[in-house]
Amino acid sequence: KGNVLSDFGKMEEALTAFETAIKLDPKLVAPWNGKGNILRNLGRKEEALTAYETAIELDPTFGGYWFNKALLLDEMGRHGEAEKARQKARELGFDC
């Protein structure tokens, strides 16, 4: 639901949907990543970083989560950390 709402530009509603999914099962990884994406789009970068880091903590083997973190870190001007996250994404086979 969060992804669909996001596609329609309803960011606050999408955020609520992701947060509801997280409350139902905090160990589901996709809602944490989705929450990070929405928060990033809303300019809430520190919160987005926390969401991405939670996704990575739950599943450190998916390069897409590392890549999203890298993009955000670049936006935050933290380029050294971004490159480390991007390298991890590449190591996991994510084409970035």
Side-chain angles (χ1 to χ4, degrees), residues 10-50:
K10 298 181 177 188
M11 296 301 165
E12 291 295 337
E13 291 176 58
L15 180 58
T16 298
F18 287 123
E19 288 175 339
T20 299
I22 289 166
K23 284 179 187 171
L24 292 171
D25 188 348
K27 295 197 184 289
L28 285 176
V29 182
W32 283 106
N33 185 64
K35 180 178 178 176
N37 291 338
I38 297 301
L39 290 168
R40 183 172 155 229
N41 287 330
L42 292 172
R44 294 164 56 181
K45 295 179 193 261
E46 289 297 332
E47 293 172 87
L49 183 58
T50 298

Side-chain angles (χ1 to χ4, degrees), residues 2 5 24 45 69 73-74 94:
L5 289 165
L24 292 171
K45 295 179 193 261
K69 180 179 177 180
L73 288 167
D74 269 333
F94 192 81

